[in-house]
Amino acid sequence: MGSASIGYQIGISARFYGNFNLSSDVTVSSLPCKVDVSIKSLFSAPSSTHKECSNRARVCCSLPNTDEYCDEKFETPILDTIETPLQLKNLSVKELKLLADEIRTELHSVLWKKTQKSMNPSFAAIELTLALHYVFRAPVDNILWDAVEQTYAHKVLTRRWSAIPSRQKNGTSGVTSQLESEYDSFGTGHGCNSTSAGLGLAVARDIKGKRDRVVAVIDNATITAGQAYEAMSNAGYLDSNMIVILNDSRHSLHPNMEEGSKASISALSSIMSKIQSSKIFRKFRELAKSMTKRIGKGMYEWAAKVDEYARGMVGPTGSTLFEELGLYYIGPVDGHNIEDLVCVLREVSSLDSMGPVLVHVITEENRDAETGKNIMVKDRRTYSDCFVEALVMEAEKDRDIVVVHAGMEMDASLITFQERFPDRFFNVGMAEQHAVTFSAGLSSGGLKPFCIIPSAFLQRAYDQVVHDVDRQRKAVRFVITSAGLVGSDGPVQCGAFDIAFMSSLPNMIAMAPADEDELVNMVATAAYVTDRPVCFRFPRGSIVNRNYLVPTGLPIEIGRGRVLVEGQDVALLGYGAMVQNCLHAHSLLSKLGLNVTVADARFCKPLDIKLVRDLCQNHKILITVEEGCVGGFGSHVAQFIALDGQLDGNIKWRPIVLPDGYIEEASPREQLALAGLTGHHIAATALSLLGRTREALLLMS
């Protein structure tokens, strides 16, 4: 192998240089369903209970290569026989119920015990997943998912389970991906994409003259995003055949609404759902609509109002909204009653030329609360913990400070602020565009909003950041969490692009802390700025100092960096968390007799041009390091030193940034190595530029 090839492998390549009752008494005698209704069943449907699997013999894990994750090994005889989802069609109703229990046990024993994360969303979707694969013929039929947490049972049935628990390098992705399996019709991203993508698949099917079926599964969290309603409205207009399933787990963003009006399941609602989904009823309804149209517009509109009123009386509150969007509403259906699910889905799947349908499925995430609750105990404090503590201190001094949070999941540390200032905390869910403009409105009203959005989710709201905030110089303080690489969440939640797209805005102040002290000071700085927008980013990981006590923050002079270590010949200029890796590189180089300078830029915009000029004039080599894509901090440095004439002299400048690609799931340490951002990579780059290539290679080995 030549030296150039070796150099590329170690990261010193050119890249571095450049509810009534909850169940029904309606019985289904066989899975070509027969509805058996009695007067008694309508009014006295007993509740069904979920039978736990704790008494099952502890013999062996159902899937290979999972022994390292299994503390208790359970017998899963039915699951062991399932090689493809098509084999579900050979099972009886009783066997499907037993299989649901086996999958639930497998999820708990393998994944929850490894990650200690709540598995309630996964448990809630098990019966629905079985019913979908029982009725439809994936991968010929397309099943799309919005939420990652709902796909685990789907992954079990498609034989990808053994590699999920580690979620590390070269393992199974935590999300659905067409590159990974033919059973994944479309990749899950940040939610709310399944209906749009499903409609695209349905229209493509129609144009190509195919007959496959399309099913999109959405849930409570993803339906808060505007894209879901845009897609449903378009589906209603195009009238393409597709099925949207709303998996309603009865969650609300606001705790005081949890006990309010909710859709409920009873024998009556179960019967009505089956009637609504039946081919005879749908054809009768279409015939009635056609006849009233012929009589006249007035009669048609009157009949439509009667139909809407009658269906509104039967359905839960808000069900007519979907009808207004153009989707035929069916439900609610008990999401844990496999017989009912199969019966309704089978009827719906048999409908041709009937347009889009929404099936409202009610599931209970707390059915397995004793096994699904989150008991993870942090052994180290995180940047998010320090941020919230600093923000609480600022909010106690300034009553104008408010918090707006958007994204798929709220960090537990924010509960501290929410409980301390309940009237000054707003969680809007997956409504990032609204969060940004809402924050701009709060700023216009004289408040000081801190808009907290994970980096990957802020991408959705960029238009609002540009026009509603930056162009109007609204003093919104963007707190960009999960910045940079995110380990097991891979490229889906990787915060690679925010440095570039936020620092390119004319009025934006963009900064990033090197450690927890700087983070606390930047919270104070953001609260101090009142004439323009400001943003700062921080990673997911643990803070530098394990026993850190949050002090009172001190505002930083805007656009002023700092030198941490004075040296000569080589200057390492880090941005954000990468300053720590520059310090590590300094330590490695010191052992080789090199005394290099380490500087903390603090600000990407406005850039500390005096600091950059001094580094160029007093060193032979300048290396900029950031955990972001091309076009970010290094590009701002390059723009300045080029225009300032520094590149006309003897200075050699090299940027180290994230590679131009998506880094898949791996441990944080592995991801940094893959990206070439470790202290060893930085030190090796410096050695290579000094002509000490052999030492660079030895350092990387």
Side-chain angles (χ1 to χ4, degrees):
M1 181 181 292
S3 59
S5 177
I6 295 175
Y8 181 81
Q9 287 196 344
I10 67 168
I12 50 175
S13 68
R15 181 178 70 75
F16 292 101
Y17 305 154
N19 269 328
F20 298 115
N21 219 313
L22 291 181
S23 66
S24 168
D25 194 290
V26 180
T27 60
V28 179
S29 57
S30 62
L31 285 182
C33 60
K34 297 179 182 178
V35 182
D36 178 19
V37 184
S38 65
I39 296 296
K40 179 183 178 182
S41 71
L42 292 176
F43 299 101
S44 59
S47 297
S48 61
T49 58
H50 170 66
K51 186 176 291 184
E52 294 295 335
C53 306
S54 58
N55 295 325
R56 191 162 291 145
R58 293 170 178 147
V59 180
C60 64
C61 282
S62 65
L63 297 175
N65 303 323
T66 57
D67 288 351
E68 60 182 302
Y69 307 113
C70 294
D71 296 325
E72 296 177 302
K73 301 180 181 181
F74 296 89
E75 185 180 24
T76 51
I78 301 177
L79 184 56
D80 290 342
T81 67
I82 303 300
E83 295 294 333
T84 69
L86 285 177
Q87 291 176 288
L88 295 180
K89 298 180 183 296
N90 300 324
L91 302 180
S92 65
V93 177
K94 181 179 180 180
E95 289 172 324
L96 286 175
K97 292 179 179 179
L98 291 174
L99 178 57
D101 289 342
E102 291 182 12
I103 294 174
R104 187 170 278 106
T105 302
E106 191 74 15
L107 285 171
H108 174 249
S109 64
V110 177
L111 188 57
W112 180 79
K113 289 186 177 180
K114 179 70 178 178
T115 66
Q116 295 291 288
K117 291 183 178 180
S118 173
M119 294 300 299
N120 288 343
S122 305
F123 290 153
I126 291 174
E127 286 83 3
L128 174 60
T129 304
L130 288 172
L132 285 170
H133 279 294
Y134 186 91
V135 172
F136 299 96
R137 297 180 64 86
V140 176
D141 294 330
N142 295 290
I143 302 175
L144 296 84
W145 306 86
D146 251 2
V148 172
E149 293 80 8
Q150 297 183 46
T151 65
Y152 291 137
H154 167 74
K155 295 232 173 187
V156 170
L157 294 173
T158 52
R159 306 305 292 181
R160 288 174 285 164
W161 182 237
S162 61
I164 286 181
S166 61
R167 293 282 298 280
Q168 301 299 319
K169 183 180 177 183
N170 300 324
T172 296
S173 171
V175 300
T176 58
S177 170
Q178 286 183 294
L179 299 177
E180 182 179 285
S181 172
E182 62 179 344
Y183 291 99
D184 295 346
S185 300
F186 198 83
T188 49
H190 300 143
C192 83
N193 65 351
S194 67
T195 309
S196 297
L199 179 60
L201 286 168
V203 171
R205 171 203 62 202
D206 296 341
I207 291 175
K208 289 181 171 293
K210 298 181 179 179
R211 295 182 60 83
D212 53 277
R213 291 163 292 187
V214 177
V215 184
V217 184
I218 60 178
D219 69 358
N220 300 76
T222 57
I223 204 171
T224 62
Q227 183 182 347
Y229 295 97
E230 294 169 4
M232 286 188 282
S233 177
N234 193 212
Y237 173 76
L238 294 175
D239 203 35
S240 293
N241 284 353
M242 70 174 296
I243 301 165
V244 178
I245 296 178
L246 170 57
N247 181 13
D248 182 359
S249 58
R250 302 166 175 265
H251 269 309
S252 169
L253 292 172
H254 307 285
N256 61 342
M257 293 178 62
E258 290 293 333
E259 300 304 320
S261 175
K262 297 177 180 177
S264 57
I265 303 296
S266 68
L268 179 59
S269 63
S270 177
I271 294 168
M272 291 306 301
S273 296
K274 293 174 182 176
I275 292 174
Q276 288 173 318
S277 63
S278 68
K279 184 182 295 186
I280 294 175
F281 179 81
R282 289 292 304 275
K283 287 187 175 181
F284 174 77
R285 186 171 180 262
E286 293 298 318
L287 178 62
K289 287 168 65 176
S290 176
M291 291 177 63
T292 53
K293 276 185 179 180
R294 292 182 181 180
I295 295 173
K297 183 178 179 181
M299 175 61 74
Y300 175 74
E301 291 178 349
W302 178 83
K305 289 180 180 179
V306 170
D307 177 65
E308 179 181 342
Y309 178 77
R311 288 167 57 73
M313 289 287 289
V314 174
T317 303
S319 60
T320 54
L321 168 65
F322 302 108
E323 294 274 347
E324 292 292 337
L325 291 172
L327 281 75
Y328 181 75
Y329 175 88
I330 297 172
V333 182
D334 186 350
H336 300 290
N337 187 317
I338 293 181
E339 296 98 325
D340 283 6
L341 284 170
V342 168
C343 184
V344 170
L345 291 176
R346 176 168 284 164
E347 288 290 338
V348 170
S349 69
S350 67
L351 300 174
D352 293 322
S353 304
M354 290 293 189
V357 175
L358 184 134
V359 181
H360 185 184
V361 174
I362 304 293
T363 57
E364 293 284 350
E365 287 192 0
N366 294 325
R367 288 168 72 89
D368 303 275
E370 68 277 9
T371 59
K373 60 185 179 182
N374 190 340
I375 61 171
M376 178 179 286
V377 177
K378 292 181 180 179
D379 59 346
R380 298 199 66 176
R381 299 174 68 209
T382 65
Y383 277 96
S384 184
D385 294 330
C386 292
F387 160 70
V388 173
E389 290 181 38
L391 187 59
V392 167
M393 293 173 68
E394 292 294 329
E396 287 174 342
K397 297 184 295 183
D398 191 340
R399 295 178 58 85
D400 288 338
I401 289 178
V402 295
V403 165
V404 178
H405 175 270
M408 185 173 288
E409 194 172 294
M410 188 176 78
D411 193 287
S413 60
L414 284 171
I415 296 175
T416 302
F417 190 98
Q418 185 180 30
E419 292 177 345
R420 180 70 179 82
F421 308 104
D423 297 332
R424 293 155 64 183
F425 183 88
F426 307 93
N427 181 24
V428 302
M430 291 181 63
E432 295 85 2
Q433 293 172 312
H434 163 66
V436 171
T437 306
F438 176 48
S439 298
L442 291 170
S443 177
S444 297
L447 297 177
K448 295 181 177 180
F450 279 74
C451 186
I452 305 171
I453 306 179
S455 175
F457 290 85
L458 183 59
Q459 295 162 185
R460 298 190 211 248
Y462 192 58
D463 183 69
Q464 284 70 27
V465 174
V466 173
H467 292 291
D468 296 338
V469 177
D470 192 75
R471 189 171 59 82
Q472 301 184 51
R473 293 183 69 97
K474 299 297 181 183
V476 174
R477 298 140 190 90
F478 291 101
V479 182
I480 305 173
T481 63
S482 296
L485 301 169
V486 290
S488 62
D489 282 324
V492 173
Q493 295 190 32
C494 177
F497 310 112
D498 61 270
I499 302 175
F501 69 67
M502 294 299 277
S503 65
S504 65
L505 299 175
N507 297 317
M508 185 69 67
I509 296 173
M511 53 187 179
D515 54 30
E516 51 271 25
D517 280 320
E518 288 292 287
L519 174 58
V520 172
N521 290 335
M522 287 183 183
V523 172
T525 305
Y528 176 78
V529 175
T530 58
D531 62 340
R532 50 183 161 164
V534 59
C535 70
F536 58 95
R537 73 191 316 249
F538 57 82
R540 276 190 186 176
S542 301
I543 58 176
V544 178
N545 185 355
R546 179 188 291 268
N547 300 315
Y548 183 72
L549 296 177
V550 175
T552 300
L554 299 173
I556 302 169
E557 181 182 348
I558 301 299
R560 178 58 58 90
R562 58 177 181 159
V563 174
L564 301 179
V565 182
E566 290 276 7
Q568 57 187 12
D569 293 335
V570 177
L572 307 178
L573 179 57
Y575 182 64
M578 288 298 100
V579 172
Q580 300 302 320
N581 292 27
C582 290
L583 290 171
H584 182 213
H586 170 271
S587 177
L588 293 170
L589 293 170
S590 295
K591 296 176 182 178
L592 296 175
L594 288 174
N595 186 23
V596 302
T597 295
V598 178
D600 174 12
R602 283 178 168 164
F603 293 86
C604 180
K605 189 172 187 176
L607 186 68
D608 188 342
I609 59 175
K610 182 180 182 303
L611 172 63
V612 175
R613 183 182 288 128
D614 288 345
L615 293 176
C616 289
Q617 292 177 349
N618 296 310
H619 299 82
K620 297 178 181 178
I621 295 168
L622 173 64
I623 300 173
T624 57
V625 188
E626 63 189 296
E627 197 173 356
C629 67
V630 174
F633 171 69
S635 295
H636 283 265
V637 173
Q639 176 78 0
F640 168 70
I641 61 177
L643 294 178
D644 197 50
Q646 299 299 323
L647 293 178
D648 300 338
N650 296 322
I651 188 70
K652 292 181 180 179
W653 167 72
R654 298 294 185 267
I656 298 181
V657 300
L658 287 176
D660 189 20
Y662 297 102
I663 298 179
E664 298 298 329
E665 291 91 340
S667 69
R669 186 185 299 272
E670 287 175 324
Q671 285 190 326
L672 282 173
L674 287 169
L677 287 173
T678 66
H680 282 75
H681 285 88
I682 298 169
T685 299
L687 289 169
S688 177
L689 289 170
L690 290 169
R692 299 166 66 169
T693 306
R694 179 178 176 79
E695 289 173 288
L697 294 171
L698 289 173
L699 184 66
M700 292 306 302
S701 64

